[in-house]
Amino acid sequence: MKPLIVANWKMNPQSLDEVRRLFNSIKKGIKKIKNLEMVICPPFPYLLVIKLYSHKAIKLGAQDCFWEEKGAFTGEVSAVILKNIGCQYVIIGHSERRRYFQETDEIVNKKIRAALKIKLNPIFCIGETQTERDKGQTQAVLKKQLTLGLKDISKSQIEDVKFFIAYEPVWAIGTGNPCSVEEAMSAAIMIRKIITSLFSFSISKKIRIIYGGSINRKNSANYIKEAKMDGLLVGGASLEAKELISIIKSVS
Ligand code: PGA
């Protein structure tokens, strides 16, 4: 299976010119690369801009969505709107949303269900904080996030999309302190076991697990080749075309 590389630009860059430059450099850099799936998740206003610059190897993704389809929800963007403008992926439950916008597991669940309803591919983020890890709670945290996040979701809904779980330990995000290959592997094993107990072995095999947190050109290949993750969620490094292209080349 081709690895998935997700560029999460977060609230960057600040101008259209920078978006154009960054996108064009990425586009040039990945010209000959075929054996991976690339998704760019820019801030909402840039989604259509990137769509216009379009490149068949680069898919459009959003950083979040709202669970209602339409109506009086000032400031929100629904999964339906995203799908209708050409988005194929949506990040849901990122730790920054959980932390700064008080997103609970219940909210995350509503958003995942909204995405699944219209077959928008979810990238469902989970992961423990440093304190939780220190207390030996990693498995319990992952179990809670998965159980509540996937509540009332059927096997067939998962089978209908490309379903990604991003293991993103909070302590590794934006810190320059990535999780080790062994830690990523052991988290992936825990996640597969939990998914198997919630659904079935065949669903667990169908769900793809990617890693995110302080990815750079030096560590990227390890997660794919050694930890056998199905892809990477890249934050800071995805804002530098050279770095992102090196990451892509290291895993393709
Ligand atoms: P980072 O962010 O690569 O800057 O650590 C990853 C993420 O937040 O998805």
Side-chain angles (χ1 to χ4, degrees), residues 6-18:
V6 185
N8 177 11
W9 286 357
K10 310 194 179 183
M11 205 167 69
N12 302 291
Q14 275 66 62
S15 73
L16 264 184
D17 262 359
E18 289 168 280

Side-chain angles (χ1 to χ4, degrees), residues 7-248:
N8 177 11
W9 286 357
K10 310 194 179 183
M11 205 167 69
N12 302 291
Q14 275 66 62
S15 73
L16 264 184
D17 262 359
E18 289 168 280
V19 170
R20 197 173 299 126
R21 270 201 301 274
L22 179 58
F23 186 77
N24 283 336
S25 312
I26 296 171
K27 205 158 127 173
K28 261 194 223 138
I30 65 161
K31 234 179 202 161
K32 293 195 189 107
I33 293 167
K34 290 204 177 74
N35 49 343
L36 59 77
E37 206 166 333
M38 167 90 209
V39 182
I40 295 186
C41 302
F44 287 132
Y46 301 142
L47 281 167
L48 281 176
V49 179
I50 289 194
K51 190 183 175 192
L52 292 178
Y53 297 160
S54 96
H55 187 277
K56 61 176 180 334
I58 299 178
K59 307 282 189 305
L60 216 51
Q63 297 174 14
D64 183 34
C65 67
F66 191 56
W67 61 81
E68 294 288 349
E69 287 181 15
K70 60 179 178 182
F73 301 101
T74 303
E76 292 297 332
V77 178
S78 70
V80 174
I81 295 175
L82 293 170
K83 173 98 180 190
N84 286 344
I85 65 152
C87 266
Q88 295 184 28
Y89 293 84
V90 60
I91 298 173
I92 297 176
H94 190 281
S95 68
E96 285 151 15
R97 300 236 28 111
R98 294 178 190 258
R99 178 174 171 198
Y100 299 119
F101 305 97
Q102 289 74 49
E103 279 197 10
T104 60
D105 292 315
E106 290 72 20
I107 290 176
V108 170
N109 173 254
K110 284 189 193 183
K111 292 184 173 187
I112 297 175
R113 284 193 286 147
L116 291 177
K117 196 168 170 195
I118 51 162
K119 299 189 179 35
L120 187 59
N121 302 315
I123 302 165
F124 169 26
C125 299
I126 57 170
E128 79 288 358
T129 62
Q130 184 67 60
T131 316
E132 289 162 343
R133 172 164 282 259
D134 292 345
K135 288 187 186 157
Q137 296 171 340
T138 301
Q139 183 157 3
V141 170
L142 298 182
K143 187 169 180 191
K144 177 174 171 281
Q145 290 176 337
L146 286 167
T147 308
L148 297 178
L150 297 172
K151 196 167 174 255
D152 296 331
I153 288 170
S154 69
K155 287 184 193 178
S156 67
Q157 280 179 302
I158 291 178
E159 277 165 339
D160 273 357
V161 293
K162 293 181 188 170
F163 199 108
F164 290 88
I165 291 174
Y167 173 58
E168 293 213 303
V170 180
W171 48 270
I173 298 177
T175 57
N177 175 27
C179 152
S180 70
V181 164
E182 294 72 30
E183 287 167 326
M185 281 170 86
S186 103
I189 292 169
M190 284 179 205
I191 293 169
R192 292 231 179 267
K193 272 195 190 147
I194 298 164
I195 298 292
T196 303
S197 73
L198 291 175
F199 297 96
S200 65
F201 181 62
S202 65
I203 291 293
S204 152
K205 274 179 63 183
K206 156 99 187 130
I207 290 180
R208 291 161 73 189
I209 303 174
I210 66 176
Y211 169 75
S214 296
I215 302 266
N216 58 40
R217 70 171 91 183
K218 292 197 186 114
N219 61 28
S220 47
N222 300 341
Y223 296 107
I224 304 293
K225 293 177 183 160
E226 290 175 41
K228 306 282 178 222
M229 304 299 282
D230 298 310
L232 303 171
L233 181 41
V234 189
S238 71
L239 293 165
E240 293 168 47
K242 255 189 165 170
E243 185 74 14
L244 182 62
I245 291 159
S246 301
I247 290 172
I248 290 170

